[in-house]
Amino acid sequence: MQQLVDLIRSKVFVTDDELAEILAGFELKPLRKGQLLLKRGQTASYYYFLSIGALRFYYHDQLELTAWIVQPGEFFAEISSLNPGLPTRFNIEAVTDTELYCIHQDRMDLLYKQFPAWQEFGRKTWEGMAVRMIDEIISFQTMTVEERYRSFLQKPGFMQLISVRQLASYLGITPNALSRIRKNLR
C-alpha cells in the first residue's frame, strides 16, 4: 500500500488523518495470472490501483485485440463502463500474478465530496490518463510499428510483463510480423 500512499502524496497534500480515511476505503485484491478482474458484459463499479503485476484490457470478437496495458503504479478504472453504468466491452485479465487495491465507486464519490484534496487527486489522475490515451492514439497515427515497438523497449520492465502475442495484438499486428520486426532490429 506504500506505493499508493506515495502516489497520492506525489499529486496532492493530504493530512495523515485524511490519508487514513482515504486508505480505509481500499481493499487488497490479488489475482492469479490469467484470472479476469472484469468480464465483458459486466458493469464496472470499482476504481483500482495496481501495485504488483500487469493487467490488460482486451476485446474479443473474431480476433483478440489488446487495447490497454496497465502497469504497476497506475490508478485506473474501466471508465467507459463505470461512469455511464454500461456493460463493459472488455475483459480485464491479469497477465502476471497481480496485487491491486480497489475502492468502490460510491466510496470514491463520498471521498471526493469529503476531501477537496482527493477530488484534486482524481482530477490530476484522470487528466494524466487522458494524456496517456492521446499519446497512444497519436503514436498509432504517426509512428510506424517498428517505432512503436522501440518505444516499448524504452519502458523499463514492460517487455517482461506481457507475451509476444499480447504485444503484437496491442501493436495491431500478427505475432509473426512482430517476430520479423524483432529479428530486423537485432
Side-chain angles (χ1 to χ4, degrees):
M1 180 147 315
Q2 187 59 46
Q3 287 176 290
L4 178 56
V5 169
D6 294 343
L7 177 67
I8 294 168
R9 291 217 156 126
S10 75
K11 291 183 181 277
V12 295
F13 173 79
V14 290
T15 67
D16 290 342
D17 289 342
E18 290 171 335
L19 183 61
E21 181 76 22
I22 291 164
L23 295 177
F26 284 87
E27 295 178 30
L28 178 64
K29 181 168 185 71
L31 295 174
R32 293 178 317 278
K33 179 179 180 176
Q35 191 174 354
L36 293 179
L37 175 64
L38 193 65
K39 186 176 179 180
R40 183 178 177 180
Q42 292 179 321
T43 302
S45 56
Y46 286 88
Y47 293 87
Y48 302 94
F49 174 77
L50 182 61
S51 177
I52 297 170
L55 297 159
R56 72 179 179 120
F57 283 58
Y58 73 93
Y59 178 82
H60 188 81
D61 196 10
Q62 293 167 340
L63 293 174
E64 187 176 290
L65 302 171
T66 299
W68 195 257
I69 306 293
V70 183
Q71 300 172 63
E74 289 188 320
F75 200 88
F76 72 97
E78 205 299 69
I79 205 77
S80 66
S81 172
L82 182 75
N83 280 342
L86 298 174
T88 182
R89 298 167 283 180
F90 301 101
N91 290 305
I92 304 176
E93 176 189 42
V95 294
T96 64
D97 287 343
T98 300
E99 285 186 7
L100 37 81
Y101 293 92
C102 58
I103 184 168
H104 195 274
Q105 179 182 16
D106 293 341
R107 177 73 174 169
M108 191 77 156
D109 290 342
L110 181 66
L111 290 171
Y112 280 152
K113 291 175 185 170
Q114 191 174 355
F115 302 115
W118 188 245
Q119 190 174 54
E120 181 183 358
F121 172 83
R123 179 184 55 79
K124 288 180 177 181
T125 298
W126 301 120
E127 286 172 354
M129 189 62 65
V131 168
R132 180 176 169 206
M133 291 176 78
I134 290 166
D135 288 346
E136 293 279 333
I137 291 167
I138 290 171
S139 77
F140 266 88
Q141 294 175 336
T142 62
M143 296 170 71
T144 66
V145 175
E146 292 87 357
E147 290 169 332
R148 290 196 319 266
Y149 175 71
R150 285 179 198 222
S151 75
F152 285 117
L153 293 176
Q154 303 303 313
K155 297 178 182 180
F158 182 81
M159 298 303 290
Q160 287 75 41
L161 296 175
I162 62 173
S163 71
V164 169
R165 182 182 56 82
Q166 292 163 349
L167 178 58
S169 171
Y170 190 68
L171 292 170
I173 60 175
T174 66
N176 288 343
L178 180 56
S179 292
R180 283 191 299 276
I181 290 167
R182 293 173 76 185
K183 183 180 175 185
N184 290 338
L185 292 177
R186 288 184 187 149

mmCIF file with all atom_site columns, all heavy atoms in Angstrom, residues 98-111:
data_model
loop_
_atom_site.group_PDB
_atom_site.id
_atom_site.type_symbol
_atom_site.label_atom_id
_atom_site.label_alt_id
_atom_site.label_comp_id
_atom_site.label_asym_id
_atom_site.label_entity_id
_atom_site.label_seq_id
_atom_site.pdbx_PDB_ins_code
_atom_site.Cartn_x
_atom_site.Cartn_y
_atom_site.Cartn_z
_atom_site.occupancy
_atom_site.B_iso_or_equiv
_atom_site.pdbx_formal_charge
_atom_site.auth_seq_id
_atom_site.auth_comp_id
_atom_site.auth_asym_id
_atom_site.auth_atom_id
_atom_site.pdbx_PDB_model_num
ATOM 1   N N   . THR A 1 98  ? -0.861  -10.763 -9.737  1.00 0.00 ? 98  THR A N   1
ATOM 2   C CA  . THR A 1 98  ? -1.124  -9.340  -9.572  1.00 0.00 ? 98  THR A CA  1
ATOM 3   C C   . THR A 1 98  ? -1.680  -9.028  -8.191  1.00 0.00 ? 98  THR A C   1
ATOM 4   O O   . THR A 1 98  ? -2.429  -9.823  -7.632  1.00 0.00 ? 98  THR A O   1
ATOM 5   C CB  . THR A 1 98  ? -2.148  -8.897  -10.656 1.00 0.00 ? 98  THR A CB  1
ATOM 6   O OG1 . THR A 1 98  ? -1.596  -9.157  -11.945 1.00 0.00 ? 98  THR A OG1 1
ATOM 7   C CG2 . THR A 1 98  ? -2.495  -7.440  -10.551 1.00 0.00 ? 98  THR A CG2 1
ATOM 8   N N   . GLU A 1 99  ? -1.301  -7.865  -7.678  1.00 0.00 ? 99  GLU A N   1
ATOM 9   C CA  . GLU A 1 99  ? -1.937  -7.320  -6.477  1.00 0.00 ? 99  GLU A CA  1
ATOM 10  C C   . GLU A 1 99  ? -2.427  -5.930  -6.804  1.00 0.00 ? 99  GLU A C   1
ATOM 11  O O   . GLU A 1 99  ? -1.676  -5.105  -7.332  1.00 0.00 ? 99  GLU A O   1
ATOM 12  C CB  . GLU A 1 99  ? -0.944  -7.249  -5.311  1.00 0.00 ? 99  GLU A CB  1
ATOM 13  C CG  . GLU A 1 99  ? -0.642  -8.580  -4.693  1.00 0.00 ? 99  GLU A CG  1
ATOM 14  C CD  . GLU A 1 99  ? 0.231   -8.471  -3.452  1.00 0.00 ? 99  GLU A CD  1
ATOM 15  O OE1 . GLU A 1 99  ? 0.512   -7.345  -2.981  1.00 0.00 ? 99  GLU A OE1 1
ATOM 16  O OE2 . GLU A 1 99  ? 0.628   -9.524  -2.944  1.00 0.00 ? 99  GLU A OE2 1
ATOM 17  N N   . LEU A 1 100 ? -3.684  -5.688  -6.497  1.00 0.00 ? 100 LEU A N   1
ATOM 18  C CA  . LEU A 1 100 ? -4.224  -4.347  -6.685  1.00 0.00 ? 100 LEU A CA  1
ATOM 19  C C   . LEU A 1 100 ? -5.114  -3.983  -5.524  1.00 0.00 ? 100 LEU A C   1
ATOM 20  O O   . LEU A 1 100 ? -5.540  -4.834  -4.750  1.00 0.00 ? 100 LEU A O   1
ATOM 21  C CB  . LEU A 1 100 ? -4.947  -4.200  -8.020  1.00 0.00 ? 100 LEU A CB  1
ATOM 22  C CG  . LEU A 1 100 ? -5.777  -5.322  -8.613  1.00 0.00 ? 100 LEU A CG  1
ATOM 23  C CD1 . LEU A 1 100 ? -7.141  -5.398  -8.030  1.00 0.00 ? 100 LEU A CD1 1
ATOM 24  C CD2 . LEU A 1 100 ? -5.870  -5.080  -10.084 1.00 0.00 ? 100 LEU A CD2 1
ATOM 25  N N   . TYR A 1 101 ? -5.315  -2.703  -5.387  1.00 0.00 ? 101 TYR A N   1
ATOM 26  C CA  . TYR A 1 101 ? -6.193  -2.174  -4.348  1.00 0.00 ? 101 TYR A CA  1
ATOM 27  C C   . TYR A 1 101 ? -7.410  -1.606  -5.038  1.00 0.00 ? 101 TYR A C   1
ATOM 28  O O   . TYR A 1 101 ? -7.290  -0.887  -6.029  1.00 0.00 ? 101 TYR A O   1
ATOM 29  C CB  . TYR A 1 101 ? -5.478  -1.098  -3.522  1.00 0.00 ? 101 TYR A CB  1
ATOM 30  C CG  . TYR A 1 101 ? -4.356  -1.671  -2.701  1.00 0.00 ? 101 TYR A CG  1
ATOM 31  C CD1 . TYR A 1 101 ? -3.059  -1.725  -3.195  1.00 0.00 ? 101 TYR A CD1 1
ATOM 32  C CD2 . TYR A 1 101 ? -4.603  -2.210  -1.439  1.00 0.00 ? 101 TYR A CD2 1
ATOM 33  C CE1 . TYR A 1 101 ? -2.029  -2.277  -2.448  1.00 0.00 ? 101 TYR A CE1 1
ATOM 34  C CE2 . TYR A 1 101 ? -3.581  -2.771  -0.693  1.00 0.00 ? 101 TYR A CE2 1
ATOM 35  C CZ  . TYR A 1 101 ? -2.299  -2.806  -1.201  1.00 0.00 ? 101 TYR A CZ  1
ATOM 36  O OH  . TYR A 1 101 ? -1.289  -3.364  -0.472  1.00 0.00 ? 101 TYR A OH  1
ATOM 37  N N   . CYS A 1 102 ? -8.585  -1.945  -4.521  1.00 0.00 ? 102 CYS A N   1
ATOM 38  C CA  . CYS A 1 102 ? -9.816  -1.480  -5.149  1.00 0.00 ? 102 CYS A CA  1
ATOM 39  C C   . CYS A 1 102 ? -10.627 -0.644  -4.171  1.00 0.00 ? 102 CYS A C   1
ATOM 40  O O   . CYS A 1 102 ? -10.561 -0.825  -2.957  1.00 0.00 ? 102 CYS A O   1
ATOM 41  C CB  . CYS A 1 102 ? -10.632 -2.659  -5.667  1.00 0.00 ? 102 CYS A CB  1
ATOM 42  S SG  . CYS A 1 102 ? -11.085 -3.885  -4.443  1.00 0.00 ? 102 CYS A SG  1
ATOM 43  N N   . ILE A 1 103 ? -11.358 0.291   -4.754  1.00 0.00 ? 103 ILE A N   1
ATOM 44  C CA  . ILE A 1 103 ? -12.248 1.144   -3.975  1.00 0.00 ? 103 ILE A CA  1
ATOM 45  C C   . ILE A 1 103 ? -13.540 1.292   -4.771  1.00 0.00 ? 103 ILE A C   1
ATOM 46  O O   . ILE A 1 103 ? -13.517 1.554   -5.981  1.00 0.00 ? 103 ILE A O   1
ATOM 47  C CB  . ILE A 1 103 ? -11.604 2.518   -3.663  1.00 0.00 ? 103 ILE A CB  1
ATOM 48  C CG1 . ILE A 1 103 ? -12.517 3.362   -2.766  1.00 0.00 ? 103 ILE A CG1 1
ATOM 49  C CG2 . ILE A 1 103 ? -11.209 3.259   -4.925  1.00 0.00 ? 103 ILE A CG2 1
ATOM 50  C CD1 . ILE A 1 103 ? -11.840 4.595   -2.171  1.00 0.00 ? 103 ILE A CD1 1
ATOM 51  N N   . HIS A 1 104 ? -14.655 1.081   -4.107  1.00 0.00 ? 104 HIS A N   1
ATOM 52  C CA  . HIS A 1 104 ? -15.955 1.132   -4.777  1.00 0.00 ? 104 HIS A CA  1
ATOM 53  C C   . HIS A 1 104 ? -16.266 2.559   -5.238  1.00 0.00 ? 104 HIS A C   1
ATOM 54  O O   . HIS A 1 104 ? -15.888 3.541   -4.592  1.00 0.00 ? 104 HIS A O   1
ATOM 55  C CB  . HIS A 1 104 ? -17.060 0.622   -3.844  1.00 0.00 ? 104 HIS A CB  1
ATOM 56  C CG  . HIS A 1 104 ? -18.325 0.309   -4.555  1.00 0.00 ? 104 HIS A CG  1
ATOM 57  N ND1 . HIS A 1 104 ? -19.278 1.257   -4.812  1.00 0.00 ? 104 HIS A ND1 1
ATOM 58  C CD2 . HIS A 1 104 ? -18.775 -0.856  -5.099  1.00 0.00 ? 104 HIS A CD2 1
ATOM 59  C CE1 . HIS A 1 104 ? -20.281 0.700   -5.468  1.00 0.00 ? 104 HIS A CE1 1
ATOM 60  N NE2 . HIS A 1 104 ? -20.002 -0.585  -5.650  1.00 0.00 ? 104 HIS A NE2 1
ATOM 61  N N   . GLN A 1 105 ? -16.980 2.650   -6.320  1.00 0.00 ? 105 GLN A N   1
ATOM 62  C CA  . GLN A 1 105 ? -17.350 3.945   -6.895  1.00 0.00 ? 105 GLN A CA  1
ATOM 63  C C   . GLN A 1 105 ? -18.101 4.817   -5.879  1.00 0.00 ? 105 GLN A C   1
ATOM 64  O O   . GLN A 1 105 ? -17.850 6.016   -5.781  1.00 0.00 ? 105 GLN A O   1
ATOM 65  C CB  . GLN A 1 105 ? -18.209 3.730   -8.139  1.00 0.00 ? 105 GLN A CB  1
ATOM 66  C CG  . GLN A 1 105 ? -18.671 5.007   -8.807  1.00 0.00 ? 105 GLN A CG  1
ATOM 67  C CD  . GLN A 1 105 ? -19.559 4.733   -10.007 1.00 0.00 ? 105 GLN A CD  1
ATOM 68  O OE1 . GLN A 1 105 ? -20.077 3.636   -10.184 1.00 0.00 ? 105 GLN A OE1 1
ATOM 69  N NE2 . GLN A 1 105 ? -19.725 5.737   -10.835 1.00 0.00 ? 105 GLN A NE2 1
ATOM 70  N N   . ASP A 1 106 ? -18.997 4.230   -5.110  1.00 0.00 ? 106 ASP A N   1
ATOM 71  C CA  . ASP A 1 106 ? -19.754 5.007   -4.117  1.00 0.00 ? 106 ASP A CA  1
ATOM 72  C C   . ASP A 1 106 ? -18.819 5.603   -3.061  1.00 0.00 ? 106 ASP A C   1
ATOM 73  O O   . ASP A 1 106 ? -18.978 6.764   -2.660  1.00 0.00 ? 106 ASP A O   1
ATOM 74  C CB  . ASP A 1 106 ? -20.809 4.137   -3.425  1.00 0.00 ? 106 ASP A CB  1
ATOM 75  C CG  . ASP A 1 106 ? -21.917 3.698   -4.372  1.00 0.00 ? 106 ASP A CG  1
ATOM 76  O OD1 . ASP A 1 106 ? -22.095 4.323   -5.433  1.00 0.00 ? 106 ASP A OD1 1
ATOM 77  O OD2 . ASP A 1 106 ? -22.600 2.698   -4.041  1.00 0.00 ? 106 ASP A OD2 1
ATOM 78  N N   . ARG A 1 107 ? -17.855 4.814   -2.619  1.00 0.00 ? 107 ARG A N   1
ATOM 79  C CA  . ARG A 1 107 ? -16.885 5.292   -1.621  1.00 0.00 ? 107 ARG A CA  1
ATOM 80  C C   . ARG A 1 107 ? -16.019 6.394   -2.221  1.00 0.00 ? 107 ARG A C   1
ATOM 81  O O   . ARG A 1 107 ? -15.708 7.391   -1.561  1.00 0.00 ? 107 ARG A O   1
ATOM 82  C CB  . ARG A 1 107 ? -16.030 4.111   -1.141  1.00 0.00 ? 107 ARG A CB  1
ATOM 83  C CG  . ARG A 1 107 ? -14.958 4.470   -0.174  1.00 0.00 ? 107 ARG A CG  1
ATOM 84  C CD  . ARG A 1 107 ? -15.504 4.791   1.195   1.00 0.00 ? 107 ARG A CD  1
ATOM 85  N NE  . ARG A 1 107 ? -14.377 4.994   2.089   1.00 0.00 ? 107 ARG A NE  1
ATOM 86  C CZ  . ARG A 1 107 ? -14.484 5.488   3.274   1.00 0.00 ? 107 ARG A CZ  1
ATOM 87  N NH1 . ARG A 1 107 ? -15.657 5.802   3.758   1.00 0.00 ? 107 ARG A NH1 1
ATOM 88  N NH2 . ARG A 1 107 ? -13.427 5.662   4.017   1.00 0.00 ? 107 ARG A NH2 1
ATOM 89  N N   . MET A 1 108 ? -15.608 6.200   -3.477  1.00 0.00 ? 108 MET A N   1
ATOM 90  C CA  . MET A 1 108 ? -14.793 7.209   -4.164  1.00 0.00 ? 108 MET A CA  1
ATOM 91  C C   . MET A 1 108 ? -15.558 8.531   -4.252  1.00 0.00 ? 108 MET A C   1
ATOM 92  O O   . MET A 1 108 ? -15.006 9.591   -3.966  1.00 0.00 ? 108 MET A O   1
ATOM 93  C CB  . MET A 1 108 ? -14.439 6.686   -5.561  1.00 0.00 ? 108 MET A CB  1
ATOM 94  C CG  . MET A 1 108 ? -13.410 7.499   -6.273  1.00 0.00 ? 108 MET A CG  1
ATOM 95  S SD  . MET A 1 108 ? -11.772 7.144   -5.636  1.00 0.00 ? 108 MET A SD  1
ATOM 96  C CE  . MET A 1 108 ? -10.819 7.611   -7.056  1.00 0.00 ? 108 MET A CE  1
ATOM 97  N N   . ASP A 1 109 ? -16.823 8.460   -4.636  1.00 0.00 ? 109 ASP A N   1
ATOM 98  C CA  . ASP A 1 109 ? -17.644 9.671   -4.735  1.00 0.00 ? 109 ASP A CA  1
ATOM 99  C C   . ASP A 1 109 ? -17.791 10.363  -3.383  1.00 0.00 ? 109 ASP A C   1
ATOM 100 O O   . ASP A 1 109 ? -17.738 11.595  -3.293  1.00 0.00 ? 109 ASP A O   1
ATOM 101 C CB  . ASP A 1 109 ? -19.032 9.339   -5.300  1.00 0.00 ? 109 ASP A CB  1
ATOM 102 C CG  . ASP A 1 109 ? -18.997 8.958   -6.769  1.00 0.00 ? 109 ASP A CG  1
ATOM 103 O OD1 . ASP A 1 109 ? -17.986 9.268   -7.451  1.00 0.00 ? 109 ASP A OD1 1
ATOM 104 O OD2 . ASP A 1 109 ? -19.969 8.339   -7.241  1.00 0.00 ? 109 ASP A OD2 1
ATOM 105 N N   . LEU A 1 110 ? -17.961 9.579   -2.329  1.00 0.00 ? 110 LEU A N   1
ATOM 106 C CA  . LEU A 1 110 ? -18.062 10.131  -0.977  1.00 0.00 ? 110 LEU A CA  1
ATOM 107 C C   . LEU A 1 110 ? -16.774 10.850  -0.584  1.00 0.00 ? 110 LEU A C   1
ATOM 108 O O   . LEU A 1 110 ? -16.805 11.959  -0.051  1.00 0.00 ? 110 LEU A O   1
ATOM 109 C CB  . LEU A 1 110 ? -18.384 9.023   0.029   1.00 0.00 ? 110 LEU A CB  1
ATOM 110 C CG  . LEU A 1 110 ? -18.544 9.456   1.483   1.00 0.00 ? 110 LEU A CG  1
ATOM 111 C CD1 . LEU A 1 110 ? -19.759 10.351  1.642   1.00 0.00 ? 110 LEU A CD1 1
ATOM 112 C CD2 . LEU A 1 110 ? -18.668 8.228   2.373   1.00 0.00 ? 110 LEU A CD2 1
ATOM 113 N N   . LEU A 1 111 ? -15.622 10.222  -0.890  1.00 0.00 ? 111 LEU A N   1
ATOM 114 C CA  . LEU A 1 111 ? -14.330 10.847  -0.570  1.00 0.00 ? 111 LEU A CA  1
ATOM 115 C C   . LEU A 1 111 ? -14.110 12.123  -1.386  1.00 0.00 ? 111 LEU A C   1
ATOM 116 O O   . LEU A 1 111 ? -13.524 13.085  -0.896  1.00 0.00 ? 111 LEU A O   1
ATOM 117 C CB  . LEU A 1 111 ? -13.193 9.854   -0.797  1.00 0.00 ? 111 LEU A CB  1
ATOM 118 C CG  . LEU A 1 111 ? -13.127 8.690   0.197   1.00 0.00 ? 111 LEU A CG  1
ATOM 119 C CD1 . LEU A 1 111 ? -12.107 7.661   -0.265  1.00 0.00 ? 111 LEU A CD1 1
ATOM 120 C CD2 . LEU A 1 111 ? -12.810 9.189   1.595   1.00 0.00 ? 111 LEU A CD2 1
#
